[in-house]
């Protein structure tokens, strides 16, 4: 997940180090350090590995991660095409054969530097709007051996993987991340991506990690800004927001995995895309839809999620609400953080604490009011010796069970509007406070609300 | 499913009668006659029910269907906004309160005429790019009581349903078809459509039928042609083509159904969208994802599908290949037919025949050849006393099982190109012929092919 914490110079700086060390403290099985350029093309804040001078910073960070955590660390390496504020963007058809011929070497050199920096793995970025994904795309309009048929679209990505394997040796872990579906008109879907996965497996990829969408083709142009490939529907599929179903893209991973197994390849498949709860993750693994679960936004909201799940403390997880504030920060070249964190923090709080917060008033309260088709909620203040992180709003609609419905960070007003209501059913609410470690307070009293005005009666 | 078989005059003609009688002979549980306008707005070929003069034609068709079939028959009624070849289209914000106030009455009158025409049900079209769907939409920008909040967006559709119920009485079946997800940027998803379903259930809808997408917002403009709302990604979700997973939208129906039940409503839910096989249909029903399965393209390819499934003869079904030739015909105001039918026919063949076709040569043959990243197949001719319908190509990729992979109508060349192949795996093929009743011949010999040239080696 791009952090926008690096400078334009491409070096690992203190902020980058702090972010990945914080993430590593949560003990994910494998942590993938954000997209790092294999070439020198101009861009916004972005890590780089296109020169020997970048190795030391990575080495230092990886060493520190090793001292603090057992997590494995991969470096994701990327080549991207040029874009301009005018809206112009370089297409694969604009690349000369000389430029194409240099790309495998750029990836190979960056990968070999990652080995020397101490990483456990490199992940080749072949997803979304970037160079290798644009070759894989069904809208790759090249008419030579690098476009047109699936075999030709696979050529450069295959050459890159082969060159990287040669550079890092047979025992180093090389993963490939690519789109399982393009999610654009005339884009490819799992019927083709399963063949791509098979090709990568055949060429010795140690895992395939599946994303979706994130293409320029349906991106929404903002005047004076370079095109951002996560503004269209395909971008929604890369980072499915609150309105999308949980595990939006899981059927793609399942199709790819089944196909690999059917062809005799046990290559691990990583599934991603709004896989939220422990039950969902266990089900993905138990039913063989995938071998690993990839999490980005969930770990931004709470880097301790893996540790908490292992400790049987899912109840203390600070859950991402999929509002995609982080995505908007990335789009605007702002430092990527989670709006659920305490204000101004550049990382999720790190505290060791088992004590839940308590309500300031002896009797906590929750007030509700109807405001033109919305329900307004206000509630008591909570206290915690180490600090309140936020408030969690639980709701039951009609006869349904209560569910965690929204979160309000502690630095906001202690009020929240529920706009997803209609008249004719009763809504019940209660609120819990949670502290910096994610411990929950007891609930406020439950309050029931019904909108008065109804349509069509 | 719009047929484009009616004239511009809006009357039921012979072609319309023939089409729905053919469909009824397949004995679906409930057959929905295509979108029929409740108002007089100009449009291409389209059935109408905005005047008394249209009743007789419907009456005659329904009477004939009753004589030949036990299927129940519903009329789908629709109000649509204006569009122009210039690209201009009327928005809900362009409608005066007077125009809005007339819409419930238009629906009610059309529904009441449908009762007199002898229909078993009316289905209110609130899906896709049309008027009521545009009110339900999250991109409905009205600032008065007909837009903005969910309650306001529901107002006109609720008024329509209430007016129709009043007009047809409490015992007549009234269904509502609407989008479970808009599948456009900032569009609604199941979190809102489940609330809409609850509103319709509360107002006495006898069923809700879920579609998806089909919006103008992401439609692709063709110069000089009016905007067609099935050209963007959202249109793909309405009629998921070959590249989309089976049962693309089933999770939406499931969410809506579960919510209705959770709120004490047993209102039947109809799921649609590439539900192909008997096993899939049984699973939808058995697991309670929905109560009825809606099929459009599958019944165009083979109207006898329901009858064949009931008779345990799924092996004779002529399966839709989801190439969406029918959708392209609709887009171009051409009569909608299936390209799998014998050339020139306006309906699927109707034959009673248990005899499978035989191969003309004593030893049927299948030849394959590699052509620049594709596999070319050619095969023997088959014979059948009542006529050959087409050829079915079966394929096994690598170690996978054989599956029905493509169909070639008998009026085409007896050859076919498989473009979905890569080098490095072996593909095995055989072909069967099927006759007009769907009986299959024995297979040709199995042939194995591998592409020679490979990328990245």
């Amino acid at each position: 997940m791009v952090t926008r914490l690096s400078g334009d110079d491409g070096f690992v700086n203190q902020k980058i180090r702090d972010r990945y060390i914080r993430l590593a403290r949560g003990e994910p099985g494998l942590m993938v350090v954000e997209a790092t350029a294999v070439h020198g093309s101009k861009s916004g804040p972005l890590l780089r590995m296109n020169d020997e001078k970048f190795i030391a910073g990575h080495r230092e960070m990886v060493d520190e991660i090793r001292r603090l955590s057992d997590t494995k660390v991969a470096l994701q390496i990327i080549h991207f095409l040029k874009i301009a504020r005018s809206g112009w963007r370089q297409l694969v058809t604009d690349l000369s054969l000389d430029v194409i011929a240099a790309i495998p070497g750029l990836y190979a050199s960056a990968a070999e530097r990652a080995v020397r920096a101490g990483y456990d793995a490199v992940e080749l970025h072949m997803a979304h709007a970037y160079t290798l994904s644009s070759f894989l795309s069904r809208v790759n309009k090249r008419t030579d051996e690098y476009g047109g048929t699936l075999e030709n679209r696979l050529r450069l990505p295959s050459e890159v993987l082969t060159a990287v394997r040669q550079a890092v040796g047979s025992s180093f872990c090389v993963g490939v991340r690519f789109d399982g579906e393009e999610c654009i008109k005339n884009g490819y879907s799992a019927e083709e991506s399963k063949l791509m996965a098979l090709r990568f497996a055949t060429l010795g990829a140690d895992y395939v990690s599946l994303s979706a969408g994130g293409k320029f083709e349906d991106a929404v142009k903002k005047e004076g800004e370079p095109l951002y490939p996560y503004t269209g529907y395909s971008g929604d599929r890369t980072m499915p927001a609150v309105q999308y179903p949980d595990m939006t893209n899981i059927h793609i991973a399942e199709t790819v995995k089944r196909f690999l197994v059917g062809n005799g390849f046990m290559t691990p498949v990583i599934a991603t895309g709004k896989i939220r709860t422990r039950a969902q993750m266990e089900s993905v693994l138990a039913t063989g839809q995938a071998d690993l679960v990839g999490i980005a936004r969930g770990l931004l909201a709470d880097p301790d999620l893996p540790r908490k799940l292992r400790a049987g403390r899912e109840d203390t997880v600070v859950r991402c609400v999929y509002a995609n504030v982080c995505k908007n920060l990335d789009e605007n070249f702002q430092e990527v953080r989670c709006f659920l964190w305490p204000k101004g923090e550049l990382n999720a709080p790190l505290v060791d604490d088992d004590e839940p917060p308590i309500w300031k008033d002896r009797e906590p309260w929750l007030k509700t009011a109807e405001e033109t088709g919305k329900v307004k909620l206000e509630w008591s203040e909570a206290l915690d010796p180490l600090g309140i992180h936020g408030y969690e709003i639980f709701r039951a609609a009609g006869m349904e069970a209560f569910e965690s419905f929204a979160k309000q960070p502690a630095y906001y007003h202690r009020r929240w509007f529920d706009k997803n209501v209609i008249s004719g059913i009763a809504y019940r609410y209660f609120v819990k406070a949670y502290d910096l470690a994610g411990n929950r307070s007891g609930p406020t009293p439950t309050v029931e609300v019904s909108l008065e005005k109804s349509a069509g009666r």
Side-chain angles (χ1 to χ4, degrees), chain A residues 2 31 58 67 108 127 132 144 159 188 194 202 220 266 282 286 288 304 307 315 349 357 422-423 453:
Chain A
V2 161
M31 176 169 75
H58 285 273
R67 278 195 295 276
L132 295 182
D144 61 3
E159 289 170 349
Y188 69 74
K194 70 184 188 184
T202 307
V220 179
M266 301 313 288
E282 296 287 6
D304 295 322
R307 200 166 50 71
D315 61 310
I422 54 167
S423 62
K453 204 175 166 194

Side-chain angles (χ1 to χ4, degrees), chain A residues 230-300:
Chain A
Y230 306 100
T231 43
Y233 179 84
S234 74
D236 281 4
R237 288 289 294 273
T238 313
M239 291 167 265
V242 62
Q243 68 268 28
Y244 288 89
D246 284 2
M247 309 210 287
T248 309
N249 301 319
I250 195 69
H251 59 284
I252 305 171
E254 189 177 1
T255 300
V256 168
K257 177 68 190 171
R258 202 186 306 126
F259 185 75
L260 286 179
V261 170
N263 281 281
F265 280 89
M266 301 313 288
T267 311
V269 172
I270 303 183
T272 63
K274 210 180 171 185
I275 306 174
R276 284 192 319 112
T277 66
R278 178 178 182 132
Q280 290 170 346
M281 296 172 201
E282 296 287 6
S283 150
V284 166
L285 303 180
T287 62
Q289 292 177 304
D291 305 282
L292 294 99
V293 170
I295 310 173
R297 292 168 298 174
L299 290 184
L300 195 72

Side-chain angles (χ1 to χ4, degrees), chain A residues 15 17 26 50 68 94 100 113 119 159 164 227 230 232 279 292 334 337 342-343 354 379 394 438 443-444:
Chain A
K15 286 179 178 177
R17 266 195 303 275
N50 59 316
L68 295 165
D94 297 328
I100 291 175
R113 287 182 196 114
Y119 282 102
E159 289 170 349
V164 167
L227 212 51
Y230 306 100
L292 294 99
Q334 304 290 306
R337 57 185 91 193
K343 197 162 196 168
D354 271 339
W379 55 85
F394 294 79
T444 65

Side-chain angles (χ1 to χ4, degrees), chain A residues 35 49 110 126 128 131 167 193-194 196 201 204 263 286 306 327 329 342 352 361 366-368 378 398 415:
Chain A
M49 199 53 134
M126 302 195 184
H128 312 154
T131 309
S193 63
K194 70 184 188 184
M196 298 173 186
N263 281 281
K327 176 183 159 184
L329 292 167
D352 193 13
D361 303 326
L366 170 64
K367 285 189 239 173
T368 59
E378 296 183 286
R415 66 169 177 258

Side-chain angles (χ1 to χ4, degrees), chain A residues 383-402:
Chain A
L383 300 172
D384 187 273
L386 299 175
I388 295 295
H389 194 164
Y391 297 89
E392 189 169 12
I393 295 111
F394 294 79
R395 191 187 84 161
M399 288 177 238
E400 294 207 312
F402 275 99

